Amino acid sequence: MKILNYILLIFSTSFLLGLDFSFDSLPIQESGRIKPIDSYARNQLLRFYGKTALKNEDGSKQTAFAWFEDVLINTEEEILRPIFNVRNPDVTTSLGLERVDNHKYSFFDIINGFRDNQDLIESLKTIKEDKLTLVEKQIVEVYRNVILFDEIAHSLYCFLPVIKVENSVIREYMNISSDQNLSYSFFMRNIDKFKILLQDLLQTEEKDWNDSHLELSQIVMYLQNLTQYHYAQSLKIIPSFDNKENDVWLSPWELMDGRLLNDNQKQVLLNYENLIFNLIENNEEGAKISSNEIIMTIDDYYPDFKSTLLNKEVSYNKNNIFLYSLVFYIIAFLLVGVSWMFKPALFRNIALYSILSGFVMHAYGLISRMIIMQRPPVSTLYESIIFVSFILVLFALIFEFLKKDTIGILIASIGGSLLHFVGFKYAADGDTLGMLVAVLNSNFWLATHVTTITIGYGVSLVAGLMGHIYLVLATFKPQLKDELKKIFNNTYGLTLMALFFTMFGTILGGIWADQSWGRFWGWDPKENGALLIVLWLLMMLHLRISGMVKHLGYAFGVSFVNIVVVLAWFGVNLLSVGLHSYGFTDNVATNLFIYIICELLFIFSFYFLAKKKLRLS
């Protein structure tokens, strides 16, 4: 019984300590959000290097967090490592950099380039940002990146154990063990005792200094030298601990200005000192203990702090779940093609299992994001792409289970894959788990208007893709009248569902606008885009009901809804006007125009070919 109690005690203690935490899951505040350091490291490496993993000279890969840890611990080596991606030859020429095949340069290379061209950045500072040329903007971006790297690299210098105290008098007074190296932070945490030693030093004439005075003066000079890194305040890793409502976090160097530290601040600083020391000594267990003590201190003071979400986000980062769902979608697409040529029943079932596997992973990724962010996954353009992709696959699968004709699998695999690729493009632009913009800062409306209208986008795209399938089948197999009729019926039903969700979502948006901005409708570009989808769907339904178009004409018209949705979804952000202009816009215009041209060529080409084939049949 005693053994059982002892085991339970160990288990409960481990649970309370939260022993799953390590350095990569410790919290940091960036852009108003508390996130794990692992996410911060990924964002910064993506910004500097262009990828979330670093390729070493031997061909092996290093994770973003491993690189980040090296930057903090082995700074002198890392400033010589080529991690800055500068692809524009005009930028390298302006900075006097030697061109290299991989377009990668080190902090040392670039900072020397700026030193040799000091007038360049000074002249750019006098030009308004919207007046800068593309090359000038990229030079400014490179400059900001190296400055940020410099701040990150020296952010934890105050924790490095670089000061050795030999004098027994100082050691005894400061309660230092003989083999203990000290950090700048140690003296700031023990500033009360250290002040007394300094006061004695100042009051004693230099000719009367003893050994302790001499060593103390050397320590003071060393500390003074370390203060040069006080500017390195990028890592906001310490809560204020002065007000439970205060959500502004501090960097370690901000607490090194001689201010009076509270007990929690001292405890976290001590734990970070121990953490850095353990990392230097490659003591993983010690580093883990220090990490958990940091989490415990924060949890004890901030009862609303959700530390468990940090580990969930680290796990989400490492799993890369949407990449696996994309793989299964692509496999399903290939298997559908095989099923049309060889053993249809067998390969149709395998394709179905593949698309279902991808769908489950897709759902798991969305649920993970919802748990981490505590809101529906539709607040940013990236999230809306992933969510619309999920809705598209969902409704395509529903039709597949009802019709069992592989058309649903085909649409799900095509739509899911394409939107995944688009989503990856936006994921490469930066943090995908960002804070809400002001226009979306309401979980109730995220769960109603935004979710509903986004579902409408997804269903509309399924209807448009179903129209595409009709045009293709009518071109190559015009004799399959029954199959064409089934596809038309599917398209018609999807149009009705798309109309319901887009119209209902638009009405809910008007109610939200009335509460938030005092007007139900303001002809905002985003509102106009949503209305355009509704009107297009209504037009197609009326044309069909009135008999003005037959099956082929209906499929032709519904196919255009994909263009309308994309314009309402992405296009309105290009205008940079209105209360809804909150999505990414970089490089969207070119991709949007290419997509529209390809769609127009596809729709018109297959419509006229199908019309000709149906007339002949």
Side-chain angles (χ1 to χ4, degrees):
M1 189 68 181
K2 288 183 178 179
I3 295 176
L4 179 60
N5 289 335
Y6 181 69
I7 293 173
L8 290 173
L9 177 62
I10 293 175
F11 177 78
S12 61
T13 304
S14 299
F15 178 76
L16 291 173
L17 286 175
L19 291 180
D20 286 335
F21 289 94
S22 53
F23 185 26
D24 62 348
S25 56
L26 290 181
I28 182 172
Q29 187 179 63
E30 182 191 23
S31 303
R33 185 172 83 87
I34 307 300
K35 63 185 69 173
I37 290 179
D38 179 74
S39 292
Y40 181 85
R42 283 169 169 264
N43 295 340
Q44 305 319 312
L45 186 59
L46 183 63
R47 176 174 180 169
F48 302 150
Y49 190 70
K51 297 180 181 178
T52 55
L54 198 63
K55 188 175 182 179
N56 297 316
E57 291 183 359
D58 61 1
S60 62
K61 285 192 175 182
Q62 185 179 26
T63 65
F65 177 75
W67 159 81
F68 185 77
E69 191 175 299
D70 281 343
V71 170
L72 297 175
I73 305 301
N74 304 311
T75 307
E76 300 308 316
E77 296 177 13
E78 289 300 317
I79 64 174
L80 301 176
R81 189 174 188 177
I83 65 157
F84 292 93
N85 187 17
V86 185
R87 305 194 69 85
N88 192 327
D90 292 332
V91 175
T92 57
T93 301
S94 299
L95 296 178
L97 300 173
E98 184 180 345
R99 295 186 186 181
V100 292
D101 293 337
N102 63 359
H103 308 288
K104 300 296 189 298
Y105 300 87
S106 69
F107 170 83
F108 184 79
D109 295 331
I110 295 175
I111 206 68
N112 283 336
F114 278 113
R115 283 173 181 165
D116 295 338
N117 298 273
Q118 292 183 6
D119 295 337
L120 175 63
I121 197 66
E122 292 300 325
S123 63
L124 293 179
K125 288 180 179 178
T126 62
I127 305 175
K128 291 184 179 180
E129 193 161 351
D130 58 345
K131 301 295 183 182
L132 295 172
T133 65
L134 176 62
V135 173
E136 290 171 340
K137 286 180 180 179
Q138 291 178 351
I139 292 173
V140 171
E141 182 183 2
V142 171
Y143 177 76
R144 289 172 178 169
N145 285 344
V146 295
I147 294 300
L148 177 59
F149 177 88
D150 183 39
E151 289 191 21
I152 292 172
H154 298 100
S155 291
L156 302 187
Y157 252 44
C158 55
F159 294 134
L160 296 180
V162 293
I163 302 174
K164 182 75 172 179
V165 179
E166 302 286 353
N167 187 269
S168 59
V169 176
I170 299 176
R171 287 204 308 265
E172 183 178 353
Y173 185 77
M174 297 293 293
N175 194 23
I176 305 166
S177 63
S178 59
D179 61 344
Q180 182 180 5
N181 280 16
L182 304 177
S183 67
Y184 186 98
S185 174
F186 172 84
F187 291 97
M188 292 300 102
R189 287 189 296 103
N190 296 277
I191 192 66
D192 293 337
K193 283 187 176 182
F194 192 56
K195 277 182 178 178
I196 296 174
L197 291 176
L198 289 176
Q199 188 175 6
D200 178 61
L201 178 67
L202 293 173
Q203 290 175 350
T204 304
E205 294 187 15
E206 190 172 349
K207 62 183 179 64
D208 298 326
W209 281 3
N210 54 29
D211 291 343
S212 65
H213 289 126
L214 286 171
E215 184 166 347
L216 187 61
S217 67
Q218 293 175 352
I219 293 172
V220 171
M221 291 177 63
Y222 205 106
L223 292 173
Q224 181 64 33
N225 184 52
L226 287 174
T227 58
Q228 67 178 300
Y229 301 116
H230 192 269
Y231 65 87
Q233 299 180 7
S234 293
L235 304 189
K236 307 293 184 179
I237 56 177
I238 303 174
S240 63
F241 290 115
D242 60 1
N243 185 345
K244 286 183 169 60
E245 302 300 323
N246 187 357
D247 59 354
V248 178
W249 287 37
L250 304 170
S251 66
W253 279 110
E254 287 178 90
L255 297 175
M256 303 291 143
D257 57 2
R259 70 179 69 186
L260 185 63
L261 302 176
N262 59 47
D263 291 339
N264 288 311
Q265 290 171 338
K266 289 181 179 179
Q267 184 61 42
V268 172
L269 288 174
L270 172 60
N271 291 330
Y272 266 109
E273 284 179 43
N274 294 333
L275 172 61
I276 297 302
F277 178 79
N278 286 314
L279 291 175
I280 293 173
E281 297 295 318
N282 291 318
N283 183 355
E284 293 184 8
E285 190 61 34
K288 198 168 187 179
I289 292 172
S290 299
S291 300
N292 285 290
E293 287 177 350
I294 292 170
I295 293 293
M296 279 187 63
T297 304
I298 299 174
D299 273 338
D300 288 345
Y301 190 84
Y302 295 95
D304 294 334
F305 182 71
K306 298 180 175 62
S307 58
T308 55
L309 297 181
L310 297 171
N311 272 334
K312 291 184 185 298
E313 186 168 340
V314 173
S315 177
Y316 171 83
N317 290 338
K318 293 178 179 178
N319 288 336
N320 205 3
I321 196 70
F322 292 121
L323 177 61
Y324 292 107
S325 64
L326 171 63
V327 170
F328 278 105
Y329 288 159
I330 293 174
I331 291 173
F333 173 76
L334 297 175
L335 289 172
V336 167
V338 173
S339 72
W340 290 342
M341 298 180 291
F342 182 72
K343 293 189 177 181
L346 174 63
F347 283 99
R348 183 255 176 195
N349 289 334
I350 299 175
L352 181 60
Y353 286 124
S354 179
I355 201 77
L356 286 173
S357 299
F359 180 72
V360 170
M361 291 182 178
H362 199 155
Y364 174 75
L366 284 174
I367 293 170
S368 297
R369 293 182 67 91
M370 292 172 66
I371 293 172
I372 292 167
M373 298 304 295
Q374 302 286 285
R375 55 171 168 76
V378 288
S379 64
T380 66
L381 197 53
Y382 168 79
E383 287 185 335
S384 71
I385 291 168
I386 298 299
F387 185 70
V388 168
S389 174
F390 174 79
I391 296 300
L392 188 153
V393 175
L394 173 63
F395 276 88
L397 285 176
I398 290 173
F399 269 81
E400 178 61 29
F401 280 109
L402 292 175
K403 304 296 183 179
K404 296 180 175 59
D405 54 5
T406 71
I407 298 297
I409 301 176
L410 179 64
I411 290 175
S413 61
I414 293 174
S417 299
L418 289 177
L419 288 176
H420 265 50
F421 278 117
V422 175
F424 289 153
K425 185 272 176 190
Y426 283 100
D429 289 339
D431 188 9
T432 67
L433 290 165
M435 292 293 289
L436 293 175
V437 292
V439 74
L440 294 176
N441 196 14
S442 166
N443 269 4
F444 172 76
W445 290 112
L446 275 177
T448 51
H449 160 65
V450 180
T451 304
T452 305
I453 200 72
T454 308
I455 292 173
Y457 287 168
V459 183
S460 297
L461 290 175
V462 178
L465 287 173
M466 196 72 77
H468 285 56
I469 298 295
Y470 186 98
L471 294 177
V472 173
L473 189 62
T475 300
F476 294 106
K477 297 289 184 179
Q479 68 275 16
L480 300 178
K481 304 295 185 182
D482 291 339
E483 288 297 323
L484 288 172
K485 185 176 181 180
K486 287 180 182 178
I487 295 174
F488 167 76
N489 292 334
N490 293 346
T491 308
Y492 190 79
L494 284 164
T495 307
L496 291 171
M497 282 191 286
L499 178 62
F500 169 79
F501 283 109
T502 51
M503 181 177 290
F504 187 50
T506 303
I507 294 170
L508 287 173
I511 298 172
W512 185 7
D514 186 54
Q515 293 185 4
S516 299
W517 302 321
R519 88 295 188 278
F520 182 84
W521 192 265
W523 299 106
D524 184 272
K526 199 75 172 182
E527 296 168 353
N528 294 340
L531 179 61
L532 188 59
I533 299 173
V534 173
L535 292 177
W536 192 273
L537 295 172
L538 279 171
M539 178 186 73
M540 292 312 304
L541 290 171
H542 278 288
L543 287 173
R544 178 65 193 117
I545 294 170
S546 64
M548 295 180 68
V549 295
K550 303 300 181 183
H551 291 188
L552 180 62
Y554 186 81
F556 172 71
V558 168
S559 295
F560 283 99
V561 80
N562 287 2
I563 296 176
V564 178
V565 168
V566 169
L567 286 173
W569 192 5
F570 296 90
V572 296
N573 294 314
L574 297 174
L575 302 176
S576 297
V577 296
L579 295 167
H580 292 81
S581 184
Y582 49 80
F584 301 105
T585 59
D586 293 342
N587 301 321
V588 169
T590 302
N591 296 332
L592 188 62
F593 290 140
I594 291 174
Y595 168 76
I596 291 174
I597 291 171
C598 291
E599 274 282 51
L600 290 174
L601 289 174
F602 180 94
I603 295 169
F604 278 104
S605 298
F606 276 96
Y607 170 71
F608 287 115
L609 287 172
K611 190 174 182 179
K612 182 179 179 180
K613 289 290 183 70
L614 288 172
R615 189 185 304 117
L616 294 175
S617 63

